[in-house]
Amino acid sequence: MQRSRDLLAVTYAEFDNHAGPQLRYSYPPDVITKDHFEPIADYVILGKHLCDRVITVKLEKWQLLSYPIAIENNKYDRNTLSFAFGFVLSFGAKSGDYGKVLKNIGSFFQDLEIERDFISTRETNQVLPSILEKIYVDLTTRAYSFLQIAKDPPSYLPIRLFRSPVFPRLIEDYEVPMFRQDRVALNQLPWDISFQHLILHIDGVNHVRRIVDDAEMDLDFVKRSLALLEFYGAIVVSDIFRFSNVYALNAENGIQYLSDPNVISEMIDFAYAPELSAKGLQETPPNPRDIVNFLLRFQPGLTVAQVLLQTVSAAAAAQPAQHYQQGGLGNPKNFLKGVDISRLLAFAQVSGILSRVHEYPIYLLSPQHKVLHSHFGSMAGGDSASQTPRQRFDSDGSLQEHFQSPHDEVKPPTRDIPSTTPRTVDSRHADAATGEGRAFQKLNSRSKSVVGRSYLKESIQVEDAVRLMDGTECLDSYCCKLQLSFNEIIYHPNIQIVYK
């Protein structure tokens, strides 16, 4: 049976008339000691006005849930008996799930003390350690317990841990679904006809809005279906991949996950695509060290292309010249060959290793003289450090296929007419969330008279769409919803990009 990692210990504390609040019993006994208990003792045994409710005390590595009880009667010293049952949980556990169980336990023993003096009697009080052990073992292994506390007459304590329902999250229009498993095996499951039709259009490249257009299905139905597939682990949902995307390494969990061999192995299995391997190379999985070194270089201000260039340059400098001149795996041109970069980064985001730094466009009333930041250096030209991988490497095209992304043609629009409004907002011609500019070619291929007649209408439509950008949604979201390309937004003279 799989043990729960949330519940760390079960405790019982009471108020001693001479020593004050004391931790009497706990199981396991080494989780919380008396030294741990003393600083928080005043938050466990409380006054009458704070009793009969769950109190949560959060510390650095764990949290303590306590249910204090105070029974007033003349038979007790100081006319009051104060005690509390508690749960020690991991810091990130959902305390609400365990709070209901703890309240049930505390209320049961409160009634048992009022009816039979179970807590205040020495003989019966000594049974509490075995009861705490039974509660801990049952809740961590099977999430329920049924205990017989007293025999004459018998008293039973039934408890059950009910987990709060986890609902599928909302899927955004610009997100890209990717299969965790083989599509063929998944398609053979007994889905209904709508699911079968949807699965055929999931390719790991197209975003939700594009899938809706290609499959000719309802948007809400597609989102609900993808949310269900993600909830059951059939797919991974990530952002639109471009080599101009910016990611940041999560300081808290990134290093920890990259140090876990199981996480690295699962990541390689998910991202490894032998069909992407260079010709003449044996189809072997990539070196885990290369994957880790690549992910550790991500930081705000660097695009995926720039991180790849830095990693390849560092690998080339560390390898002897004779090793990579022979075309072996040490050749920088073969770095991460056989790895689907988009799937690798998708897994890194889902695992909490990386976070996407999104672009948020804001429309300004007056045109701005914009200087593209370092992670858009490949668009504006410049030195070799800001050029694209295709510009940096040899002209034999050996790396072109590996560095190519279906959403990553990033270059300023070129037209005979002013580029303030590159093209119309039309889903038939739009290539949402891409910079490929196929519609630009269509417009340039028309006669000047046709362009002249339609330009005014196009300008009004695109200009009205751009005016809606107030920085509340990311660039990918605006591209999909407004059917504008990546370039049409960032090169608009009135648009300022904010990264966060």
Side-chain angles (χ1 to χ4, degrees):
M1 296 182 182
Q2 184 178 3
R3 286 182 172 269
S4 173
R5 299 181 180 179
D6 294 336
L7 181 59
L8 304 180
V10 183
T11 65
Y12 168 77
E14 63 183 16
F15 184 84
D16 186 274
N17 293 325
H18 302 286
Q22 298 292 309
L23 177 65
R24 293 300 187 190
Y25 312 115
S26 68
Y27 187 86
D30 56 344
V31 174
I32 178 172
T33 63
K34 293 183 178 180
D35 294 337
H36 296 146
F37 181 78
E38 287 181 0
I40 60 174
D42 293 336
Y43 302 98
V44 177
I45 303 297
L46 301 171
K48 181 68 176 179
H49 61 289
L50 291 176
C51 289
D52 300 330
R53 67 189 67 187
V54 177
I55 306 297
T56 303
V57 180
K58 288 192 175 183
L59 299 179
E60 183 177 357
K61 296 182 179 180
W62 44 266
Q63 53 182 325
L64 175 64
L65 269 64
S66 175
Y67 188 80
I69 297 170
I71 302 176
E72 296 181 348
N73 196 299
N74 295 332
K75 62 183 178 181
Y76 303 123
D77 294 338
R78 299 188 179 183
N79 299 327
T80 303
L81 175 66
S82 299
F83 61 94
F85 287 88
F87 286 155
V88 180
L89 306 178
S90 60
F91 188 82
K94 295 182 178 179
S95 59
D97 298 340
Y98 290 89
K100 299 177 182 178
V101 178
L102 184 60
K103 182 178 181 180
N104 187 14
I105 296 174
S107 300
F108 174 83
F109 282 100
Q110 181 180 16
D111 295 338
L112 207 60
E113 168 63 24
I114 295 174
E115 296 173 2
R116 306 187 185 184
D117 296 335
F118 187 88
I119 300 295
S120 57
T121 304
R122 181 182 298 272
E123 292 76 11
T124 55
N125 186 282
Q126 294 178 352
V127 185
L128 287 177
S130 61
I131 295 176
L132 299 183
E133 178 181 357
K134 180 65 174 176
I135 293 175
Y136 173 81
V137 173
D138 288 348
L139 290 182
T140 53
T141 55
R142 55 184 184 179
Y144 70 91
S145 182
F146 189 82
L147 291 82
Q148 182 178 356
I149 306 300
K151 295 182 179 180
D152 188 20
S155 296
Y156 300 96
L157 173 60
I159 54 176
R160 189 177 189 90
L161 178 62
F162 290 96
R163 299 287 186 180
S164 300
V166 180
F167 299 99
R169 70 177 186 88
L170 298 178
I171 303 295
E172 301 292 345
D173 294 3
Y174 57 87
E175 293 184 309
V176 178
M178 302 178 182
F179 284 112
R180 282 183 178 268
Q181 305 172 357
D182 186 12
R183 184 197 309 187
V184 176
L186 189 63
N187 201 23
Q188 292 176 353
L189 296 177
W191 305 105
D192 59 31
I193 189 172
S194 300
F195 258 95
Q196 294 178 4
H197 182 65
L198 173 62
I199 289 175
L200 295 176
H201 292 83
I202 299 177
D203 57 0
V205 176
N206 290 332
H207 50 76
V208 174
R209 178 73 69 167
R210 179 67 58 80
I211 292 175
V212 169
D213 294 339
D214 294 345
E216 297 181 351
M217 302 178 69
D218 179 67
L219 177 61
D220 292 335
F221 173 80
V222 171
K223 286 185 175 182
R224 291 196 302 268
S225 302
L226 293 177
L228 190 63
L229 291 174
E230 183 190 29
F231 181 77
Y232 287 105
I235 62 173
V236 168
V237 179
S238 180
D239 58 347
I240 296 175
F241 174 73
R242 301 187 190 90
F243 281 103
S244 58
N245 286 354
V246 179
Y247 299 90
L249 180 68
N250 291 331
E252 297 182 359
N253 300 326
I255 305 298
Q256 178 182 355
Y257 289 149
L258 290 177
S259 303
D260 190 344
N262 296 327
V263 175
I264 299 300
S265 177
E266 185 180 357
M267 183 187 307
I268 293 176
D269 293 341
F270 181 79
Y272 180 52
E275 63 273 9
L276 297 180
S277 298
K279 296 181 180 179
L281 289 180
Q282 54 181 351
E283 294 184 358
T284 58
N287 189 348
R289 181 175 298 180
D290 292 340
I291 299 292
V292 173
N293 291 337
F294 171 61
L295 295 178
L296 287 175
R297 291 180 178 273
F298 279 94
Q299 57 181 301
L302 292 179
T303 65
V304 178
Q306 291 173 337
V307 173
L308 278 168
L309 291 174
Q310 290 184 1
T311 311
V312 170
S313 300
Q319 295 289 344
Q322 296 83 358
H323 182 68
Y324 61 79
Q325 284 177 354
Q326 299 175 359
L329 291 175
N331 191 331
K333 293 183 180 180
N334 299 326
F335 177 75
L336 293 185
K337 282 293 185 179
V339 176
D340 190 330
I341 301 295
S342 61
R343 292 179 66 87
L344 176 64
L345 296 180
F347 185 93
Q349 291 182 79
V350 174
S351 302
I353 299 174
L354 298 179
S355 297
R356 171 75 186 276
V357 181
H358 280 283
E359 304 94 340
Y360 288 83
I362 301 177
Y363 180 84
L364 303 179
L365 295 179
S366 59
Q368 302 294 311
H369 177 68
K370 296 190 294 183
V371 178
L372 297 182
H373 298 284
S374 60
H375 44 288
F376 286 113
S378 59
M379 305 178 207
D383 58 5
S384 59
S386 63
Q387 292 176 346
T388 63
R390 301 184 187 87
Q391 295 171 321
R392 282 291 305 274
F393 288 98
D394 297 339
S395 59
D396 57 1
S398 59
L399 279 182
Q400 182 172 354
E401 180 182 359
H402 179 64
F403 273 38
Q404 190 171 5
S405 166
H407 301 305
D408 198 57
E409 286 294 333
V410 182
K411 48 190 175 183
T414 56
R415 299 178 60 185
D416 295 335
I417 56 181
S419 59
T420 303
T421 55
R423 59 183 171 91
T424 182
V425 185
D426 189 345
S427 60
R428 294 173 299 177
H429 297 155
D431 190 13
T434 71
E436 293 180 280
R438 288 197 287 263
F440 296 156
Q441 300 175 3
K442 293 182 180 181
L443 287 174
N444 289 330
S445 63
R446 301 175 185 173
S447 64
K448 292 184 178 180
S449 59
V450 174
V451 174
R453 287 196 303 268
S454 61
Y455 177 67
L456 180 59
K457 182 179 180 180
E458 295 174 8
S459 302
I460 296 175
Q461 291 177 338
V462 176
E463 193 67 25
D464 290 343
V466 173
R467 288 177 181 271
L468 299 175
M469 301 180 185
D470 56 358
T472 57
E473 298 185 39
C474 65
L475 180 60
D476 292 345
S477 177
Y478 282 126
C479 287
C480 292
K481 290 183 178 181
L482 302 178
Q483 297 293 297
L484 295 176
S485 74
F486 180 73
N487 281 348
E488 287 175 316
I489 298 178
I490 67 170
Y491 284 105
H492 193 283
N494 293 76
I495 290 295
Q496 183 67 37
I497 303 294
V498 177
Y499 302 90
K500 62 180 179 178

